[in-house]
Amino acid sequence: MSAIRDRYDLAVIGAGPAGLAAATTAAGLGLDTALFDEQPAPGGQIYRAITETPLGERSVLGEDYWHGTTLVEPFRQSGAQYVPGATVWSVTREGEIGVSVAGAARLLRARHVILATGALERPFPIPGWTLPGVMTCGAAQILLKSSGLVAKGKVVLAGSGPLLWLIAAQYLRAGAEIAALLDTTPAANWTAALPHLPCFLASSYLAKGLTLIREVRRRIPVIGRVMSLAAIGRERVEGVAYRAFGDSERRIPADTLLLHQGVVPNINLSSAIGCAHRWDAAQLCFRPEVDDWGMSSLDGIAIAGDGAGISGALAAEQRGHLAGLDAARRLDKLDEEARDRAAAPHAAALARAERGRRFLDLLYRPAEGFRLPAPETLACRCEEVTARQVLDAIALGVQGPNQLKSFLRCGMGPCQGRLCGLTITELIAKARGLSPDVVGYYRLRPPVKPITLAELAALPHGEAAEKAVVRG
Amino acid sequence: MFRRASEAGARVSLSVDGTPIAASAGDSVAAALLAAGITVCRTTPVSGAPRAPYCMMGICFECLVTIDGVGSRQACLTRVRDGMRVETQQGKREAGR
């Protein structure tokens, strides 16, 4: 790896489909580009370990996964500098980037920044969700892709959404023993989703989705319309209690419980920079406001891929290309006409990739009962704050998530609100009868990832900074 | 508990709380712990409850461990290295660590 320099035309953050495509396109047009990624190898989460997975048998992960290889080679040829194992902990409006690589922090500047920080799994606060043995479906997939690891013993999958069925199929192909799939998709979602069925029928998702669901249903019990869930166990998960519509509570033994109810944009960095965000009522999450090229509300900061709103890996790739083209236009490597000409095929591919998305969003919209936890359930895992404590604080007059911090510390633990932010906003919105947009989100500040004081102290500092702290 | 569906790269040896475990060269520390049957990597500073890797992608911070003497490292974002010393983090935060 060549040394990190002090200045670049373009910094791309995140090496998933959006980041790889953005960096490839921009570098190909002559921008001096660096791509920073937290992982040791390119691919993001969707194509995690695509260049080095120990799973030789292609059919386990499926062909959609292997599409990732088509992104890596062009990126490597593009001339963009690749910086793996790099944690970006700060980006300012002026394009100053704070990054740590192998325990050493440094600051650099870029004239333009494309955030491609992707998605994270929506919080799934059920009783017992902090027990060892309970993980997200995404976590199981990452272990499978990057280390070839499969959960031993009885596995229960619970939740809703395409990824739930995908990991079920991948796990079955890898020889896992799945005791049951508990589907929490509310039956009423069909009513909302049906008007969007024609678009979905014309999309590529339909055939793939049906094949996947058939493959899973043939081999394991699928329990639909699950209304409540709890992980049972003392020191680790031992079973799952659930209740399906019209049925009494049942329990099944489990060594591993995998949870999933969709993904939401990872907004910690875009929010800390100060980009404008708004509540997306269909996807039930906050997303940054961006134009068709991914430009945020701030000059010099663009956002590409799922980090700007969920639309999946194929769309993210095209959104990356579009953001890369626009970066080249803004930094005078292309005029507007040339940008638009080059963008046309990507815009068309994006429209194809987004077709049917609305149907999926509405069908797999998670039930309120799984977004707003029961009173004794932990809403904030880090500081161990229950929903009841949150509701009690609201009853005392707490107005929003930031004031709540001084009462309960929720959102102030190491995850910086990533696993409780949406839950807290929705709990307050519901209790106060307001829209989540009005309630707002945690005020996020850099560093968005922890760095050691030693790293901060070792950063170069100017005369003014020294005068501010040195006496005499 | 996890098992390997395919035998991966070179073997790497590290220690966890002083006990040697074997891992595969491409593993993250969190993956290596799970593969070795170590399911609890820390207890919480608030109630002392056991926690284990939850997201495996650097966002949940449940997999914090001490690596080669540096506390609260994200095990899922750190690759194993031969001779690495990993310690699980037990109980409340201690000053000076």
Side-chain angles (χ1 to χ4, degrees):
Chain A
M1 190 183 83
S2 46
I4 301 173
R5 285 178 278 117
D6 288 335
R7 284 178 187 277
Y8 293 92
D9 290 335
L10 173 67
V12 179
I13 298 158
L20 288 171
T24 303
T25 288
L29 291 165
L31 290 185
D32 179 21
T33 301
L35 187 154
F36 300 94
D37 187 57
E38 204 168 29
Q39 298 300 332
Q45 304 309 332
I46 189 90
Y47 305 126
R48 180 78 178 249
I50 188 72
T51 54
E52 53 173 28
T53 177
L55 283 180
E57 180 57 62
R58 283 176 77 96
S59 62
V60 173
L61 294 171
E63 283 310 306
D64 284 352
Y65 171 75
W66 293 102
H67 171 73
T69 54
T70 66
L71 286 163
V72 176
E73 201 42 43
F75 168 69
R76 292 213 163 121
Q77 304 292 328
S78 71
Q81 186 180 348
Y82 172 50
V83 189
T87 297
V88 172
W89 40 266
S90 170
V91 175
T92 67
R93 292 163 185 244
E94 293 76 32
E96 184 181 68
I97 296 167
V99 59
S100 289
V101 183
R106 57 174 299 156
L107 297 170
L108 56 101
R109 276 187 179 274
R111 295 166 66 199
H112 193 82
V113 179
I114 298 176
L115 308 178
T117 50
L120 48 85
E121 284 174 278
R122 177 189 296 282
F124 204 146
I126 58 164
W129 71 311
T130 52
L131 285 172
V134 181
M135 303 179 99
T136 68
C137 283
Q141 234 185 4
I142 288 164
L143 285 164
L144 183 62
K145 290 169 183 171
S146 54
S147 288
L149 288 173
V150 183
K152 246 189 328 204
K154 289 185 169 40
V155 180
V156 173
L157 290 106
S160 182
L163 181 63
L164 186 70
W165 295 95
L166 179 60
I167 184 68
Q170 290 169 333
Y171 249 37
L172 288 170
R173 294 172 204 154
E177 184 195 340
I178 303 181
L181 184 152
L182 307 175
D183 188 350
T184 61
T185 308
N189 282 7
W190 278 99
T191 319
L194 270 180
H196 302 277
L197 186 63
C199 258
F200 181 71
L201 292 177
S203 77
S204 61
Y205 297 118
L206 175 72
K208 280 181 195 165
L210 286 180
T211 311
L212 209 57
I213 289 171
R214 262 200 300 267
E215 178 184 352
V216 173
R217 282 189 180 276
R218 221 175 27 236
R219 296 180 56 186
I220 57 165
V222 173
I223 292 130
R225 300 178 79 178
V226 169
M227 320 287 285
S228 75
L229 272 176
I232 310 290
R234 286 183 58 80
E235 291 297 302
R236 56 169 291 114
V237 67
E238 291 156 21
V240 181
Y242 68 93
R243 192 174 63 75
F245 180 78
D247 198 2
S248 50
E249 187 179 273
R250 292 174 185 273
R251 285 182 181 217
I252 34 174
D255 300 297
T256 301
L257 169 62
L258 301 179
L259 297 172
H260 177 77
Q261 54 175 351
V263 296
V264 295
N266 184 354
I267 59 165
N268 275 57
L269 194 49
S270 58
S271 183
I273 300 169
C275 300
H277 290 67
R278 67 180 162 78
W279 178 255
D280 182 326
Q283 295 191 342
L284 299 168
C285 58
F286 286 98
R287 64 193 289 178
E289 288 176 13
V290 294
D291 69 11
D292 289 346
W293 304 95
M295 272 310 288
S296 76
S297 61
L298 298 176
D299 278 348
I301 310 281
I303 307 162
D306 275 357
I310 303 303
S311 55
L314 293 177
E317 183 181 331
Q318 303 307 331
R319 291 156 94 191
H321 285 301
L322 293 172
L325 286 169
D326 193 49
R329 202 266 305 173
R330 284 169 188 274
L331 299 180
D332 302 319
K333 298 288 182 189
L334 277 184
D335 61 26
E336 205 167 301
E337 203 187 324
R339 177 199 67 178
D340 292 352
R341 218 175 22 248
H346 297 298
L350 176 60
R352 274 197 304 280
E354 285 185 329
R355 196 182 293 154
R357 193 79 224 171
R358 185 93 180 143
F359 176 81
L360 290 176
D361 285 347
L362 293 169
L363 180 63
Y364 292 123
R365 192 179 150 99
E368 189 175 276
F370 292 113
R371 306 198 317 273
L372 303 181
E376 302 315 321
T377 302
L378 289 183
C380 165
R381 298 170 60 104
C382 295
E383 296 296 331
E384 298 182 66
V385 178
T386 64
R388 182 186 302 284
Q389 288 174 282
V390 174
L391 295 174
D392 287 350
I394 298 167
L396 288 173
V398 164
Q399 305 285 302
N402 294 303
Q403 197 181 17
L404 193 62
K405 289 180 190 171
S406 39
F407 281 70
L408 297 172
R409 283 194 52 82
C410 54
M412 297 176 72
C415 94
Q416 296 174 296
R418 288 170 174 89
L419 267 77
C420 70
L422 288 172
T423 310
I424 296 299
T425 292
E426 286 210 84
L427 276 171
I428 298 174
K430 171 95 175 165
R432 298 192 57 217
L434 297 170
S435 145
D437 222 6
V438 176
V439 170
Y441 196 72
Y442 293 132
R443 171 76 178 91
L444 300 169
R445 291 183 181 82
V448 296
K449 279 308 219 27
I451 54 169
T452 64
L453 280 173
E455 281 183 79
L456 270 183
L459 285 174
H461 45 267
E463 200 183 335
E466 248 170 62
K467 272 195 181 141
V469 292
V470 178
R471 280 168 195 271
Chain B
M1 297 293 202
F2 284 78
R3 64 174 174 82
R4 289 189 195 272
S6 65
E7 271 317 310
R11 303 307 278 172
V12 169
S13 141
L14 53 155
S15 76
V16 181
D17 296 332
T19 307
I21 66 163
S24 205
D27 286 348
S28 64
V29 172
L33 294 177
L34 291 169
I38 299 162
T39 50
V40 175
C41 56
R42 68 177 178 106
T43 56
T44 62
V46 179
S47 74
R51 291 287 169 90
Y54 179 73
C55 79
M56 288 303 294
M57 55 181 275
I59 62 159
C60 76
F61 291 77
E62 297 291 11
C63 66
L64 298 179
V65 291
T66 299
I67 297 178
D68 291 334
V70 182
S72 291
R73 300 284 310 279
Q74 289 184 274
C76 72
L77 292 180
T78 312
R79 278 220 165 156
V80 292
R81 235 179 327 92
D82 217 26
M84 192 178 245
R85 283 179 302 113
V86 178
E87 295 158 78
T88 56
Q89 297 189 161
Q90 306 295 326
K92 298 208 176 207
R93 281 178 277 251
E94 294 168 47
R97 266 177 75 102

